[in-house]
Amino acid sequence: MDPDRSWMYNRNNPGRAGMIPEFTEGVTSFINHAKTLDDFLTSRLIRCPCVNCENVRYYTTKIVAMHLMMNGFKPGYTVWTSHGEVESDTMFNNFIVGESSRSTEHNYFQGSRMSVMVDDVFGMHSYFEQGENVKEAPNEETNIFYKQLHDCSSPLFNGSQHSKLSVAVKLLSIKSDNNISQGAMDSMIDLIKELVDPNVEIHDSYYKANALVSKLGLSSIRIDCCEKGCMLYYKEDVDLKSCKFCSHPHYKTGSTGKKLAIKAMHYLPLIPRLKRLYASNSSAPYMRWHRENRRPPGVMCHPSDGEAWKHFDRTYSDFATEPRNVRLGLCADGFTPFSVGAAPYSCWPVFITLYNLPPEMCMTSPYIFLNYVIPGPSNPKSKIDVYLQPLIDELKLLSSEGVETWDISRK
């Protein structure tokens, strides 16, 4: 991390006589950093941290650079937390060296999926403390994830069953389940802060709660679509004003005069979730199950026992030699989210399933990933491949180049 980023807020020469070269060079360094992130590798888009976009909107690198030159960076963004950085340079602080936090602090979180992941992290560190079987240290991205997970999972106070992370997740769930506005949620948080001890760290706003959860890297990407399903405004087409096939407009004008996309979908990238499988001891060892638990001929309890799987392994022997390579299944089906009496409306969720895992795991909800929901109102039919483009790009990246991640089970 750059120790001094004062250049971010020193954009123009006095009297607006041109732009300061240091700022231009800094914007270039920021863009180069953003190009290393999963968001860019999967969609060729990055979050824009300018004053107007505030890390909410995704654009091409050229558009983001132009926004920063014209508008400057959002206030107080000297640590690029929405672009992979953490607010502390000290990795694994307070829990690597001989601490007993695993047996004390985190006993309060037993029974939740978050607590299992946190316990996995602390279990992983016991190997470093004891010097046992360490073949390779976690890469930088995994270090950042473990650090963020530790920082936000400590109890709010001694004896509390909640952490900053669990409170943030609960608040976001309440907002979503009850369709509560952001303003109402902020008011509720203000009231909660007045009722509890001022020393208890609770988020000041919905925005900060959402930012904390998003630091764990499982974000979504909003992608605008043609209303008729002809194309996505994606990659090089992100700035088109109308569909290049049917000429239908990209935007409509809202009641406030602001341009709004007529149709959009939210894409949940696959690669970060696959990486998380290898970051947790509750899943990483089982990603080799299909190879290590083959049944004798004539017995079938898993797709790996079938002839189709074996034929694939013979055909693509280089891929099959590494048992941790991921075997995926894709499923899509339509449903009607509104009442039958309303106007017909059909959404199409797309799910990814993991066939590396044993039968009792691979078809359970934690390991069935919702990739995105194809918006309605009608069945996409033959145009479903248009909506699958972001997923196909990720799968191409995985199959042609691969993605580095750290396997906690093998170190």
Side-chain angles (χ1 to χ4, degrees):
M1 185 188 303
D2 189 344
D4 180 17
R5 286 184 174 158
S6 57
W7 60 265
M8 293 175 62
Y9 303 101
N10 189 23
R11 188 159 46 106
N12 295 317
N13 287 308
R16 303 185 67 84
M19 192 164 291
I20 295 176
E22 187 180 7
F23 180 83
T24 305
E25 294 170 2
V27 169
T28 302
S29 68
F30 167 79
I31 296 295
N32 290 336
H33 167 76
K35 285 182 177 180
T36 66
L37 305 177
D38 287 333
D39 287 346
F40 179 79
L41 295 176
T42 56
S43 68
R44 318 308 287 180
L45 304 176
I46 61 174
R47 290 180 185 268
C48 180
C50 79
V51 170
N52 295 333
C53 297
E54 293 189 324
N55 284 323
V56 174
R57 300 183 180 92
Y58 285 81
Y59 294 105
T60 61
T61 53
K62 290 183 179 179
I63 296 295
V64 171
M66 182 180 69
H67 281 199
L68 294 174
M69 300 288 188
M70 294 174 60
N71 307 322
F73 285 86
K74 61 174 284 190
Y77 194 55
T78 53
V79 182
W80 299 337
T81 52
S82 293
H83 296 84
E85 291 188 349
V86 292
E87 296 186 8
S88 170
D89 290 332
T90 307
M91 295 297 174
F92 308 130
N93 189 28
N94 299 327
F95 68 106
I96 289 186
V97 185
E99 296 214 2
S100 58
S101 53
R102 186 184 185 191
S103 60
T104 55
E105 292 181 4
H106 292 273
N107 285 340
Y108 302 111
F109 305 106
Q110 295 300 322
S112 70
R113 291 180 189 171
M114 281 186 294
S115 70
V116 173
M117 182 174 285
V118 172
D119 283 343
D120 285 339
V121 173
F122 281 82
M124 181 273 293
H125 285 293
S126 68
Y127 285 96
F128 286 91
E129 293 167 11
Q130 299 165 19
E132 296 179 358
N133 303 320
V134 180
K135 296 184 178 180
E136 190 173 344
N139 59 2
E140 181 180 359
E141 182 182 2
T142 308
N143 277 341
I144 290 173
F145 167 67
Y146 286 145
K147 174 66 169 73
Q148 290 171 334
L149 189 61
H150 171 261
D151 285 349
C152 61
S153 61
S154 299
L156 291 174
F157 53 86
N158 189 25
S160 172
Q161 62 178 338
H162 287 291
S163 65
K164 289 174 66 176
L165 178 60
S166 66
V167 170
V169 171
K170 188 66 176 176
L171 287 172
L172 296 180
S173 298
I174 291 172
K175 181 184 185 301
S176 176
D177 293 344
N178 298 280
N179 198 24
I180 299 173
S181 69
Q182 183 171 332
M185 181 58 66
D186 287 341
S187 298
M188 291 170 56
I189 293 173
D190 288 340
L191 177 61
I192 293 171
K193 288 186 70 66
E194 292 176 8
L195 297 175
V196 301
D197 187 329
N199 295 320
V200 175
E201 292 188 46
I202 296 180
H203 312 90
D204 296 330
S205 63
Y206 161 78
Y207 173 81
K208 290 187 177 180
N210 193 44
L212 175 66
V213 175
S214 66
K215 282 183 180 180
L216 298 180
L218 302 181
S219 59
S220 65
I221 300 173
R222 178 189 165 105
I223 303 175
D224 296 345
C225 323
C226 169
E227 187 177 18
K228 297 183 179 179
C230 305
M231 63 169 286
L232 301 181
Y233 295 100
Y234 173 66
K235 289 189 172 180
E236 65 273 7
D237 296 329
V238 69
D239 297 318
L240 293 181
K241 305 301 182 189
S242 61
C243 176
K244 59 186 180 183
F245 298 106
C246 70
S247 300
H248 199 279
H250 181 172
Y251 300 103
K252 64 181 179 181
T253 303
S255 57
T256 60
K258 187 177 180 180
K259 278 186 172 182
L260 302 172
I262 294 176
K263 187 176 182 179
M265 71 176 187
H266 287 83
Y267 178 68
L268 285 70
L270 174 65
I271 290 174
R273 292 200 265 181
L274 296 179
K275 289 181 177 181
R276 294 294 175 267
L277 291 173
Y278 284 105
S280 171
N281 258 327
S282 63
S283 54
Y286 300 104
M287 294 297 284
R288 305 186 303 273
W289 187 94
H290 66 97
R291 169 69 65 81
E292 298 171 354
N293 294 270
R294 290 283 175 88
R295 295 296 185 268
V299 177
M300 183 171 182
C301 72
H302 186 270
S304 60
D305 300 320
E307 181 56 33
W309 188 293
K310 295 173 182 177
H311 173 74
F312 180 90
D313 284 355
R314 291 192 296 268
T315 306
Y316 301 99
S317 56
D318 290 343
F319 179 91
T321 53
E322 172 53 80
R324 293 175 294 179
N325 281 336
V326 183
R327 314 290 184 112
L328 301 172
L330 183 145
C331 175
D333 198 4
F335 76 101
T336 302
F338 308 118
S339 64
V340 177
Y345 192 98
S346 177
C347 287
W348 283 70
V350 176
F351 296 97
I352 299 293
T353 57
L354 293 153
Y355 290 129
N356 293 53
L357 303 172
E360 65 271 19
M361 292 177 66
C362 69
M363 298 306 291
T364 56
S365 58
Y367 304 105
I368 300 177
F369 297 156
L370 175 64
N371 202 227
Y372 46 78
V373 178
I374 298 173
S378 57
N379 186 334
K381 296 184 180 178
S382 61
K383 293 182 179 179
I384 192 171
D385 60 319
V386 171
Y387 298 98
L388 293 178
Q389 286 180 75
L391 174 60
I392 291 170
D393 287 343
E394 281 199 281
L395 296 177
K396 284 183 176 179
L397 173 63
L398 289 170
S399 64
S400 61
E401 301 177 28
V403 174
E404 182 185 50
T405 192
W406 194 72
D407 180 357
I408 189 173
S409 67
R410 289 282 185 89
K411 310 296 177 298

